[in-house]
Amino acid sequence: MKALLALPLLALAGCQTTTDPAEGGFFSGVSGIATGAYDDRIDAAEADVASAQVRNDALAAQIRGSESELAQLKLQILQQRDALGGTDPATAQRIDRVLNSTPTGSTDAAKLAALQRSIADAKALSADLARLSG
């Protein structure tokens, strides 16, 4: 008897083409529940969130690694500057600019890009200082 009552609901639910609960309606709801479409949407959304979290964690790890690399390069530049004893004003200004830089960004991706630019500048300066001392 229950199967006979459920049959019309399932038939109507099968006619529904939407799986968006925001579009509402009783038959949409029954269709979404009966076909598992709501669960599929929830699973897909949860997978998207998990994937975004993995990307964010990887980006945060890259940022930490870049910050560490930049700090090491700044220490190296300080040591090179001290070993040279003195430099021309343009080089001294360049050293100050690199040592005092604090890369920032409005997003993690922008901050990482700024860190990478600062690392490139610091590496170039370090190479130039190595040439001056050699």
Side-chain angles (χ1 to χ4, degrees), residues 49-131:
V49 168
S51 175
Q53 185 62 48
V54 168
R55 283 191 309 274
N56 287 343
D57 291 347
L59 188 56
Q62 284 182 300
I63 288 171
R64 285 190 304 275
S66 294
E67 288 171 337
S68 176
E69 182 180 2
L70 182 58
Q72 290 172 353
L73 285 165
K74 286 181 177 185
L75 179 60
Q76 181 178 339
I77 290 167
L78 280 171
Q79 292 168 344
Q80 289 174 309
R81 180 193 67 187
D82 292 346
L84 283 173
T87 59
D88 63 274
T91 302
Q93 184 180 22
R94 186 173 168 206
I95 291 171
D96 288 342
R97 182 179 47 80
V98 168
L99 292 177
N100 294 320
S101 71
T102 50
T104 60
S106 57
T107 65
D108 285 344
K111 183 174 183 174
L112 181 59
L115 279 165
Q116 290 171 338
R117 283 190 302 275
S118 292
I119 288 169
D121 290 345
K123 284 181 178 180
L125 174 59
S126 181
D128 289 346
L129 292 175
R131 278 192 291 278

